[in-house]
């Protein structure tokens, strides 16, 4: 690439087979022509390429971006690029631009097949089991420490959690239990009528709801409603770094 007649114009010219020289002002107001020329310029050859910057008069962020794009292009071609003579503040600008650049998007992992998938699923299941047992053990130890020193228990917070997880869920549990009891009564009455056992409809509803379905409904609602509420609260605490503060306090 030939040097421009204007000594202040940004340019890139070849010194020899493996050396190129940057000169002029690599600023935003003078990079249009250079950008077009670099798009048409080829860099034949292999091996090391030296890029000299001693004649570069100025460089702003736009010029640093263009120079960085040129370096990435040469490296993608397999060239080993070395910079010489660049002022220190120009190199600092390139370094800051590299720090602000987005990391490359990693390639998606290849899907596992056959034995690999079975092995990974087994390891994931064991990891989840280990985490569950660790959580249960840690909860048990914390409970023992709390029982040993009951004056350290924050009863106000405990009662607030009991109200949130228990009393506020009574409405939805009662409504679902009532509706399921009505359905069981209607369906059971039709079948029991065939055997002349209509008088046992009340027993059927009472026993099935109290012994089997109501505890199951309560467990599902606690796992869904209350569990999701706790998860959202812990997520908010994680974002606001409250969890890290609690770990620091101990």
């Amino acid at each position: 690439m030939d040097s421009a007649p204007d000594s202040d114009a940004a340019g890139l010219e070849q010194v020899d087979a493996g050396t190129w020289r940057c000169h002029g002002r690599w600023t935003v107001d003078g990079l249009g022509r250079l950008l077009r020329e670099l798009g048409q310029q080829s860099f034949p050859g292999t091996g090391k390429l030296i890029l000299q910057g001693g004649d570069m008069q100025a460089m702003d962020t736009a010029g640093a971006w263009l120079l960085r794009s040129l370096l990435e292009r040469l490296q993608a071609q397999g060239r080993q690029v070395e910079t010489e003579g660049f002022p220190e503040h120009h190199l600092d600008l390139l370094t800051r631009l590299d720090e602000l650049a987005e990391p490359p998007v990693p390639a998606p992992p290849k899907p596992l097949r056959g034995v690999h998938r079975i092995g990974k699923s087994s390891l994931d299941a064991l990891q989840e089991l280990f985490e569950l047992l660790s959580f249960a053990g840690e909860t048990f130890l914390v409970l023992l420490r709390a029982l040993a020193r009951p004056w350290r228990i924050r009863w106000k917070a405990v009662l607030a959690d009991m109200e949130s997880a228990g009393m506020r869920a009574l409405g939805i549990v009662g409504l679902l239990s009532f509706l399921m009891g009505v359905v069981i009564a209607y369906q059971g009455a039709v079948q029991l009528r065939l055997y002349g056992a209509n008088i046992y409809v009340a027993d059927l509803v009472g026993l099935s709801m109290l012994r089997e379905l109501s505890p199951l409904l309560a467990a599902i609602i606690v796992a869904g409603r209350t569990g999701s509420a706790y998860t959202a609260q812990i997520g908010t605490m994680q974002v606001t770094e409250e969890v890290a503060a609690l770990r620091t306090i101990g």
Side-chain angles (χ1 to χ4, degrees):
M1 185 180 300
D2 297 333
S3 177
D6 186 1
S7 60
D8 291 340
L12 180 68
E13 64 179 5
Q14 186 174 8
V15 178
D16 53 39
T19 305
W20 292 75
R21 181 176 66 91
C22 302
H23 61 83
R25 300 178 59 85
W26 286 52
T27 55
V28 66
D29 53 352
L31 293 179
R33 179 186 58 83
L34 180 60
L35 183 60
R36 292 190 297 270
E37 293 179 355
L38 286 179
Q40 301 173 358
Q41 179 65 43
S42 61
F43 298 89
T46 58
K48 184 173 67 174
L49 187 145
I50 299 176
L51 199 61
Q52 298 177 347
D55 295 334
M56 185 179 292
Q57 300 176 9
M59 184 176 68
D60 59 4
T61 306
W65 173 84
L66 182 58
L67 182 59
R68 180 176 178 273
S69 300
L70 176 61
L71 295 175
E72 291 180 349
R73 174 184 170 187
L74 293 173
Q75 291 172 357
Q77 295 177 359
R79 305 296 296 271
Q80 181 182 357
V81 184
E82 293 184 2
T83 56
E84 291 183 356
F86 281 88
E88 190 68 26
H89 57 280
H90 290 173
L91 295 178
D92 291 341
L93 186 57
L94 281 175
T95 303
R96 294 180 182 179
L97 199 62
D98 290 336
E99 294 175 354
L100 295 176
E102 296 183 358
V105 179
K110 296 182 179 180
L112 300 178
R113 298 180 180 179
V115 179
H116 290 174
R117 178 182 298 178
I118 297 175
K120 187 176 185 305
S121 300
S122 302
L123 291 177
D124 292 341
L126 289 176
Q127 180 67 24
E128 292 181 2
L129 178 61
F130 175 76
E131 293 177 356
L132 178 61
L133 293 177
S134 299
F135 176 74
E138 186 176 356
T139 303
F140 181 72
L141 292 177
V142 171
L143 180 61
L144 290 181
R145 286 198 295 265
L147 293 178
R149 292 177 289 182
W151 60 87
R152 299 191 60 182
I153 300 177
R154 300 181 180 180
W155 294 107
K156 185 176 181 179
V158 172
L159 294 177
D161 288 337
M162 292 174 62
E163 179 186 5
S164 175
M167 293 185 61
R168 294 184 182 179
L170 290 178
I172 185 66
V173 172
L175 177 61
L176 289 179
S177 299
F178 171 75
L179 294 177
M180 291 197 66
V182 171
V183 172
I184 292 175
Y186 273 105
Q187 297 297 327
V190 174
Q191 300 299 324
L192 293 176
R193 184 184 304 169
L194 301 177
Y195 303 97
N198 293 348
I199 59 174
Y200 296 110
V201 172
D203 296 335
L204 172 65
V205 174
L207 293 177
S208 61
M209 292 304 301
L210 291 178
R211 291 184 179 180
E212 301 294 339
L213 295 180
S214 291
L216 181 61
L217 286 175
I220 293 175
I221 291 174
V222 168
R225 173 189 174 277
T226 310
S228 60
Y230 284 157
T231 303
Q233 184 178 4
I234 293 175
T236 304
M237 294 174 63
Q238 185 73 27
V239 172
T240 57
E241 298 184 354
E242 294 181 42
V243 176
L246 291 175
R247 289 177 178 173
T248 303
I249 295 174

